[in-house]
């Protein structure tokens, strides 16, 4: 591809050198530069990759995209230099062009918010596959390119990996893609090369304040997805924003974009386009009445909890807004699969039940605890911790929530990273009354103790890590899985006749 063709994706730039240079690779990691590479120097929060431009040139870069004026070395070697205002935006747009804009050829649904992104995205993906046979998935747990499923590396990958995944999906015949869109990805412009059909906002509660600093900054990062959506033109179809009107930040989002986007609201509030009412939960799932365009529908979903009703409602609103028939979507919702690490159920031989869930924010933990408390006939025992090097302000809030809804709490570690585990635990227990918790720093031992102490009618909730298969320590990641620990402890407590 000629450099000139690639640069057509950029809104503005200043080029020094030939636009007819042939480019054979596009890269933003100087260590991966090969002869013929167009190297894009990213300005990071910790490292400014402009310092690696000389290395990229030594490795054979044929063009440089940077936020600084042309270097003397590039002039001397006649290497084209493209000066832009924002290289993060540039790499996303260039990545889309390099891969022939794959998002233009599929129905793209992006889901953002604090809680519920993964489950909502999974449900949308399942509904897409039922309707269209092949659909792509990009999220916290896995990537599905329409042909194979691989564990994910990030909730929202870097722009080059992301566009490469989308190209695979288009090549594999995917008609649609369900995608989690994180606030970090939006803040870092990773999705700017994507043409979305529908964008979903689930909710906004305290999380990631170590990165965003304030809730307003966090919200403004989410706003970027809808700014992007408002500028999308795709097959003459007007893009749709699907927004949770029961959430105060959702209502604020509606006000911001009411004159710029087609908005479909969902929730239990009067006036919601997709309105949920009269709901019921049991061990097997949930059901509720959906009111849409003057008609009522009975909706059943094999996931428990009111928050999962919201997730399923968001998914229905998204796929229906994308053109899927209402009755087909509702019928197919009854067979959506269990989401790994999201209220994932394991039965204890003594008659108690063990749930693993990813809840790692105060709001998510409250939702899960409330749901399980409603269906618990005896005690709710909660095992949880908080991550190190992350938002410290939510630690006592999570402790307070767990203590309020649980009959017993075991506070343990959850990715302590570079912090002292007992220091994190102390921050958590500041929000908990004396006598309502035990401290067992070793997470595997904490799980074993909770399961051993459970009896008929009890529910054990293991919160925070969900699907994760590692613990992050100061020394690095180690292999660890809540699910594996639960299975191991349940096996040891089975009777010989059950083994």
């Amino acid at each position: 591809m000629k450099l000139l063709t690639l640069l057509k994706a950029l809104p503005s730039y200043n080029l020094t050198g030939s636009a007819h240079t042939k480019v054979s690779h596009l890269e933003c990691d100087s260590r991966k530069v090969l002869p013929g590479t167009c190297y894009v120097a990213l300005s990071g929060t910790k490292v400014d990759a402009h310092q690696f431009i000389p290395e990229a040139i030594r490795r054979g870069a044929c063009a440089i995209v940077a936020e600084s004026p042309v270097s003397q070395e590039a002039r001397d070697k006649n290497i084209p230099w493209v000066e832009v205002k924002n290289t993060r935006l540039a790499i996303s747009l260039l990545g889309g062009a390099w891969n022939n804009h794959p998002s233009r050829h599929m129905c793209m649904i992006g889901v953002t918010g604090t809680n519920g992104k993964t489950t909502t995205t999974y449900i949308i993906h399942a509904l897409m596959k039922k309707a269209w046979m092949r659909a792509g998935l990009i999220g916290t747990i896995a990537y599905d390119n329409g042909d194979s499923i691989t564990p994910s590396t990030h909730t929202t990958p870097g722009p080059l990996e992301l566009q490469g995944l989308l190209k695979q999906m288009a090549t594999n015949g995917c008609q649609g893609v369900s995608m989690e869109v994180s606030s970090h990805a939006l803040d870092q412009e990773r999705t700017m090369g994507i043409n979305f059909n529908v964008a979903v906002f689930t909710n906004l509660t305290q999380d990631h304040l170590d990165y965003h600093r304030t809730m307003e900054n966090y919200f403004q990062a989410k706003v970027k997805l809808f700014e992007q959506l408002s500028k999308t033109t795709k097959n003459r179809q007007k893009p749709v924003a699907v927004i949770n009107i029961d959430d105060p930040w959702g209502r604020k989002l509606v006000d911001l974009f009411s004159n710029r986007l087609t908005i479909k609201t969902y929730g239990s509030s009067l006036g919601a386009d997709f309105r949920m009412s009269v709901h019921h939960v049991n061990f097997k799932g949930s059901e509720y009445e959906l009111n849409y365009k003057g008609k009522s529908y009975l909706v059943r979903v094999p996931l428990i909890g009111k928050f999962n009703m919201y997730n399923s409602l968001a998914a229905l609103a998204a796929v229906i807004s994308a053109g899927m028939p209402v009755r087909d979507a509702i019928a197919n919702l009854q067979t959506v699969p269990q989401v790994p690490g999201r209220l994932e159920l394991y039965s204890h031989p003594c008659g108690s039940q063990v749930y693993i869930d990813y809840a790692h924010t105060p709001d998510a933990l409250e939702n899960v605890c409330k749901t399980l408390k409603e269906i618990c006939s005896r005690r709710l025992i909660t095992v949880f911790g908080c991550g190190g090097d992350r938002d410290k302000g939510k630690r006592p809030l999570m402790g307070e929530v767990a203590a309020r809804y649980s009959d017993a709490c075991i506070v343990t570690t959850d990715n302590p990273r570079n912090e002292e585990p007992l220091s994190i635990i102390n921050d958590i227990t500041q929000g908990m009354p004396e006598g309502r918790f035990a401290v067992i720093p070793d997470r595997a031992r904490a799980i074993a103790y909770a399961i051993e102490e459970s009896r008929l009618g009890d529910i054990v909730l293991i919160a925070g890590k969900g699907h994760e298969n590692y613990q992050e320590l100061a020394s690095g990641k180690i292999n660890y899985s809540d699910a594996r620990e639960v299975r191991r402890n349940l096996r040891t407590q089975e009777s010989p006749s059950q083994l």
Side-chain angles (χ1 to χ4, degrees), residues 139-180:
T140 301
I141 299 174
Y143 305 145
D144 182 347
N145 67 8
D147 182 57
S148 60
I149 299 175
T150 57
S152 63
T153 55
H154 296 83
T155 296
T156 311
L160 293 183
E161 183 185 1
L162 178 55
Q163 291 292 343
L165 274 169
L166 293 176
K167 184 177 181 179
Q168 290 175 22
M169 293 170 186
T171 301
N172 291 338
C174 292
Q175 294 187 48
V177 177
S178 181
M179 175 180 168
E180 287 188 61

Side-chain angles (χ1 to χ4, degrees), residues 27 154 169 294 330 337 408 418 436 446 466 487 492:
E27 190 53 72
H154 296 83
M169 293 170 186
I330 292 173
N418 294 305
R436 294 297 301 275
R487 287 193 295 266
T492 61

Side-chain angles (χ1 to χ4, degrees), residues 42-59:
L42 302 183
S43 296
T45 54
K46 295 180 179 178
V47 177
D48 186 349
H50 285 72
Q51 64 182 298
F52 303 125
I53 290 175
E55 179 188 352
I57 291 175
R58 285 194 299 273
R59 288 176 174 268

Side-chain angles (χ1 to χ4, degrees), residues 172-200:
N172 291 338
C174 292
Q175 294 187 48
V177 177
S178 181
M179 175 180 168
E180 287 188 61
V181 185
S182 70
S183 59
H184 290 69
L186 289 164
D187 188 62
Q188 296 167 13
E189 314 280 10
R190 290 183 224 160
T191 66
M192 285 302 291
I194 296 176
N195 292 69
F196 287 101
N197 296 71
V198 178
V200 179

